[in-house]
Amino acid sequence: MKPYQRIPIHDSHEPLLELPAVFARFDPHPYAKLGAPYPDYSPFALRSSVVERLQQAQTYLQQLQPGWRLQVFDAYRPVPVQQFMVEYTLAVVCTERGWAVDQITPQQRQEALAQVHQFWAVPNLNPLTPPPHSTGAAVDLTLIDAQGRPVDMGGELDELSLRSYPDHYVGLADASAEMYDAHRQLLNYCMAQAGFERHYHEWWHFSYGDQLWAWLRNRRHLGQTSTAQYGRFAA
Ligand SMILES: C[C@@H](N)C(=O)N[C@H](C)C(=O)O
Ligand SMILES: [Zn+2]
């Protein structure tokens, strides 16, 4: 169990809302394209207050960089999709290691899964420990410029590497590294101004009101005892 999963949840039962067209999106959606199951809700949906805060974040961004927009990669993710993506990523990791995923030993499976879970939450059905995206309060996103071109963040979303750590480029004396770090700081600044917290291993993952958000806030403000406002979304 991760420490943030001990945070109590008092669900506000806010609805999930489709993201408005003011935000750019990855099209087609990256996991739907792979065949992930979305029977009920779009992956581009978030809890209503989280949508409002995302709009605030984009307003802050446009005050600093006119015309730039947030580009959403993924938002609401039901637990079966979390399971699908963990299995998919496990197969990728096995292939990279030269292993056939359907012939690995229990020990190899454990090793490969440990790598997967550095970046992917466990597809847990326990309502006390929901995967962050199944709450509808977590979002993976990046920036595009006024011409609609991707802003270079020095790594791809969902990349299983140290480059994904938010501070990977901090202090590196190289012009590209400084630019990547400036872009990551800009994204984090706008999201933080709107109340979001960023994942400690992923420059692209932010949330507002889930267990990880409360845990990160309490860690930053000693003495604060925030709880989660969103558990696993249930219609
Ligand atoms: C890997 C990335 N897409 C992601 O969302 N990671 C977090 C930790 C998750 O699986 O909830
Ligand atoms: Zn995420």
Side-chain angles (χ1 to χ4, degrees), residues 13-16 40-41 47 76 232-235:
H13 301 292
E14 276 177 23
L16 271 187
D40 301 320
Y41 287 90
R47 301 283 193 137
Y76 174 58
R232 189 173 84 223
F233 176 74

Side-chain angles (χ1 to χ4, degrees), residues 31 77 82 119-121 131-133 140 158 199 202 204-205:
Y31 310 152
R77 189 187 305 157
Q82 189 78 21
F119 291 94
W120 289 89
H133 283 267
D140 296 337
D158 280 0
H199 192 284
E202 300 173 9
W204 62 82
H205 176 110

